[in-house]
Amino acid sequence: MKSILSKTILSLLLMVTVAAPTQASVSYSSAEKLVRQAESYAGSLKWAISIEGTGDGKSIPWKYYNGTKDTYKKAKAAVSQLPKGFKKSELEKRLEEKVNLYISTQPGKVGRAVAYIDAINAGKKIENAKLALINRLDAGLIDDETERLYHNLSWELKKQSFLLDRVYGQTTRDLIRQNFKRSAENVKQQALYPVSIKMALDKTEGYIDHNQLYEASNMLFESKSLFVSGEKLGLLDPSSTVALVLQNRYSQYETKVNKLSQELLEIESVFVQHATGGTSLRTSPNHYVNIGLIDAHPLKELSIRHSDIAAKTEVSVTRTINGEQMTEELATVSNEKYVNVDLSNSLFNLPDPRLKETNGFEGILYTFTIKVTNQLGQVQTATSHLQIGPYEYGVGFHSGTFISDFGYSVFVPANYKSYQYDNNQSITLFRNEACLIDDPIEGTLMCDPSGEITIKVLDGTTEVSEWEKKALIEHGQPVQDVAQSILSNEKYHVFTHTSSKSTYLYELVAEIDGHLIKINYQADRNSEYVLSELAEIMKSIKF
């Protein structure tokens, strides 16, 4: 019993002896000393991350940062073991306000040194992206890899800017921005025009490969505009290797576009001027335009517009009356895009509409043959038919619902007739100039202006904006937006007025039953009732 009691007392004495040193190691004085050490390191760190101290905005003061972290950790552990009270709270406050202020990694409360270090690391990523692009440009390389590096630099600038902008202190923040962001932005600006021109030329090449002349020409023009503006703004040195490489590529595509323009040379329009104005003709072997005698007397001029300069344009006409034909060569013109042919010769003298021939007269058919030779020596021939006679209102026209090869139907009211293009790419609903002869002896006529619609389903390979751009420069006339829509889901709607021909030309693109539709329509003299009938046709389109 005595032995057991002795052992118990010995054990208690040992416990007291062991516990006593632990209590002594976390005394207030020792904890306060550790706090002062942490504050000392934090003070050095404060000046090491500031331009007003030893900070240079490029290097990271790891010695002071790691020292501050280590001493903070030890001081915090010591303070946590102190008994609750004013002194413990005071030490905790000092650690938080003078040490953790710089090294905190808590989201939303990032320490000033942590923000500084993050900014330097972010800046180095921007710097690496900048140097990669500079090296590429300095080597005179402007290719897909250069374009990728340009976009990578843009991405890094956008991605890392947040880290650069959260550095504490305006002067230090500005220094880091100057070291990394501004210099990278200067390089990006230096690469802007070369890369933009390269991208435009890439698109030009794609359009050329797919024989898309209009798009290729526009993109080539955009490339040229970038050359001019880049040089004007001092952002493109025309003597630099990169600029010379791009200029050489531009010249190659310019040659290809010019060749393609000749290969795809076509007759864009044929227009005949007569006594009361003018009439557009089609270049189609099966398309006949009918006009009344009074309107046609006399025919004045045939105007032809090519898509490009033709090496030679030869125009002849064959006149057919009661089965009898007579042919005459009208003109041969070299190196012209626009050709005007005088029609004021004897072959075009028409019967006086007051004479008895108007009663039952079958009319006159003029077939214009246009032979075009392009700059490559390739020849194409087109024909346009103009039929003149005493046509009564509505003769030869009919109404009904027409169904196209593309699955949509159009309801056509009276006095219209349906035609289809030779290439089966669109349907044209056309009303010719129709006249009612009130008095054949006196020759008085009442004529309706013509209305014409072309409907085409777009395949979606060309952006609507490209169609709109083309519409806005069509015909070389001032073009305006149409204020009032006809269809509910119009993408755009524009028109131009050719005052010399008294013709109003319209174009709109709309989405109908999930299909993108392009509609071109025109009305001579802009008659309101013709436009209203055309609008009703458009509204009837269904799939």
Side-chain angles (χ1 to χ4, degrees):
M1 183 68 177
K2 183 178 180 180
S3 175
I4 294 174
L5 180 60
S6 300
K7 290 180 178 179
T8 300
I9 293 172
L10 180 60
S11 297
L12 290 173
L13 289 172
L14 287 171
M15 290 176 62
V16 172
T17 303
V18 172
T22 303
Q23 185 66 28
S25 67
V26 289
S27 65
Y28 173 78
S29 60
S30 62
E32 198 274 339
K33 181 179 180 181
L34 291 174
V35 171
R36 276 189 282 111
Q37 288 177 354
E39 287 175 335
S40 177
Y41 263 105
S44 299
L45 180 61
K46 170 185 176 180
W47 295 111
I49 62 171
S50 172
I51 186 178
E52 294 166 5
T54 59
D56 59 6
K58 293 181 180 179
S59 56
I60 299 174
W62 288 115
K63 175 183 175 182
Y64 296 118
Y65 176 73
N66 291 329
T68 303
K69 281 179 60 179
D70 292 341
T71 55
Y72 172 79
K73 183 178 180 182
K74 292 176 182 178
K76 188 175 179 64
V79 172
S80 68
Q81 296 183 46
L82 293 176
K84 291 183 179 180
F86 174 76
K87 289 185 176 182
K88 179 179 181 179
S89 298
E90 188 67 23
L91 292 178
E92 287 176 335
K93 183 179 179 181
R94 285 167 59 183
L95 282 174
E96 183 63 31
E97 293 180 354
K98 296 183 179 181
V99 183
N100 197 40
L101 174 67
Y102 296 97
I103 61 173
S104 171
T105 57
Q106 180 182 342
K109 194 179 179 182
V110 175
R112 294 176 183 178
V114 174
Y116 181 89
I117 292 171
D118 286 346
I120 299 297
N121 287 330
K124 288 179 178 179
K125 292 180 180 179
I126 294 175
E127 183 73 7
N128 290 336
K130 178 190 77 173
L131 292 175
L133 180 58
I134 286 179
N135 292 337
R136 199 81 183 168
L137 294 173
D138 288 347
L141 299 172
I142 183 71
D143 52 16
D144 289 345
E145 179 61 13
T146 308
E147 181 184 342
R148 186 192 70 79
L149 291 174
Y150 172 83
H151 292 307
N152 181 60
L153 177 58
S154 299
W155 167 246
E156 289 293 350
L157 279 167
K158 182 178 180 181
K159 179 183 177 182
Q160 308 299 343
S161 287
F162 166 74
L163 296 176
L164 300 182
D165 294 341
R166 72 176 186 177
V167 172
Y168 179 78
Q170 182 69 45
T171 55
T172 304
R173 185 164 55 249
D174 287 344
L175 176 64
I176 293 178
R177 286 172 175 166
Q178 181 64 41
N179 288 341
F180 299 112
K181 187 176 180 180
R182 292 195 181 97
S183 61
E185 286 175 338
N186 289 337
V187 172
K188 179 188 173 185
Q189 190 175 43
Q190 174 189 343
L192 172 63
Y193 277 90
V195 171
S196 298
I197 294 170
K198 181 262 179 191
M199 293 171 65
L201 291 175
D202 285 348
K203 290 183 179 180
T204 303
E205 182 180 23
Y207 289 136
I208 292 173
D209 290 343
H210 290 86
N211 288 337
Q212 293 175 272
L213 176 61
Y214 175 79
E215 292 83 356
S217 298
N218 281 349
M219 197 54 61
L220 194 67
F221 178 78
E222 183 173 326
S223 303
K224 185 65 175 179
S225 299
L226 288 170
F227 273 110
V228 173
S229 58
E231 183 177 352
K232 183 177 180 180
L233 295 172
L235 298 175
L236 181 67
D237 180 3
S239 63
S240 67
T241 303
V242 166
L244 294 175
V245 169
L246 290 171
Q247 184 62 54
N248 180 61
R249 191 179 174 199
Y250 173 88
S251 298
Q252 292 177 14
Y253 292 159
E254 184 178 37
T255 301
K256 289 183 178 181
V257 166
N258 290 337
K259 182 180 179 183
L260 183 62
S261 179
Q262 287 298 314
E263 290 175 350
L264 301 179
L265 180 68
E266 60 181 19
I267 300 171
E268 290 188 336
S269 66
V270 179
F271 189 86
V272 61
Q273 292 184 345
H274 47 69
T276 59
T279 300
S280 294
L281 307 181
R282 299 270 184 194
T283 52
S284 170
N286 300 315
H287 194 133
Y288 293 76
V289 174
N290 304 320
I291 61 176
L293 284 171
I294 293 298
D295 279 341
H297 183 67
L299 295 179
K300 296 180 177 179
E301 187 177 63
L302 187 71
S303 299
I304 303 166
R305 185 179 70 183
H306 302 309
S307 60
D308 199 356
I309 296 175
K312 184 166 64 173
T313 304
E314 301 168 81
V315 184
S316 62
V317 64
T318 298
R319 184 183 68 179
T320 304
I321 303 179
N322 296 324
E324 298 181 2
Q325 293 185 339
M326 180 180 295
T327 300
E328 181 178 342
E329 301 295 328
L330 295 178
T332 297
V333 179
S334 298
N335 296 316
E336 292 291 345
K337 181 177 181 178
Y338 303 96
V339 177
N340 296 313
V341 180
D342 182 20
L343 301 183
S344 59
N345 57 68
S346 59
L347 187 59
F348 293 93
N349 287 337
L350 301 175
D352 191 318
R354 293 173 297 179
L355 300 180
K356 63 180 181 179
E357 282 94 335
T358 59
N359 185 13
F361 179 60
E362 293 184 5
I364 302 173
L365 171 63
Y366 288 106
T367 299
F368 295 97
T369 301
I370 305 168
K371 183 179 178 182
V372 183
T373 304
N374 66 17
Q375 302 293 340
L376 304 176
Q378 299 166 333
V379 180
Q380 60 172 306
T381 302
T383 55
S384 294
H385 301 290
L386 175 64
Q387 187 136 339
I388 302 170
Y391 303 113
E392 293 185 5
Y393 182 81
V395 173
F397 304 130
H398 62 276
S399 64
T401 299
F402 297 89
I403 300 176
S404 79
D405 292 340
F406 298 95
Y408 64 83
S409 63
V410 181
F411 176 73
V412 183
N415 309 325
Y416 280 84
K417 188 171 183 179
S418 172
Y419 290 91
Q420 190 159 352
Y421 279 148
D422 300 332
N423 58 12
N424 292 321
Q425 290 301 302
S426 61
I427 236 179
T428 299
L429 305 170
F430 184 81
R431 181 167 74 178
N432 299 315
E433 189 82 5
C435 298
L436 170 66
I437 300 179
D438 290 335
D439 187 342
I441 303 301
E442 294 298 324
T444 57
L445 289 87
M446 295 173 58
C447 294
D448 278 341
S450 67
E452 181 178 346
I453 295 183
T454 300
I455 305 169
K456 183 171 183 178
V457 180
L458 302 181
D459 58 12
T461 58
T462 302
E463 295 289 337
V464 172
S465 59
E466 293 296 325
W467 286 107
E468 184 176 13
K469 185 187 297 183
K470 181 178 180 180
L472 289 172
I473 61 174
E474 194 71 33
H475 310 300
Q477 298 288 336
V479 178
Q480 302 176 32
D481 293 326
V482 176
Q484 185 175 1
S485 299
I486 291 178
L487 301 177
S488 60
N489 195 9
E490 291 184 5
K491 306 298 183 183
Y492 68 83
H493 196 164
V494 298
F495 85 97
T496 179
H497 174 216
T498 56
S499 56
S500 62
K501 304 174 183 178
S502 297
T503 302
Y504 289 77
L505 305 171
Y506 298 79
E507 179 173 311
L508 69 88
V509 166
E511 187 174 339
I512 302 176
D513 296 336
H515 298 78
L516 207 58
I517 303 295
K518 184 167 79 75
I519 300 174
N520 294 85
Y521 63 104
Q522 72 178 55
D524 292 352
R525 295 186 291 279
N526 206 30
S527 299
E528 291 298 328
Y529 69 95
V530 173
L531 288 176
S532 65
E533 288 185 5
L534 298 178
E536 289 304 312
I537 292 178
M538 289 181 232
K539 293 176 183 177
S540 74
I541 299 174
K542 294 180 181 179
F543 281 84

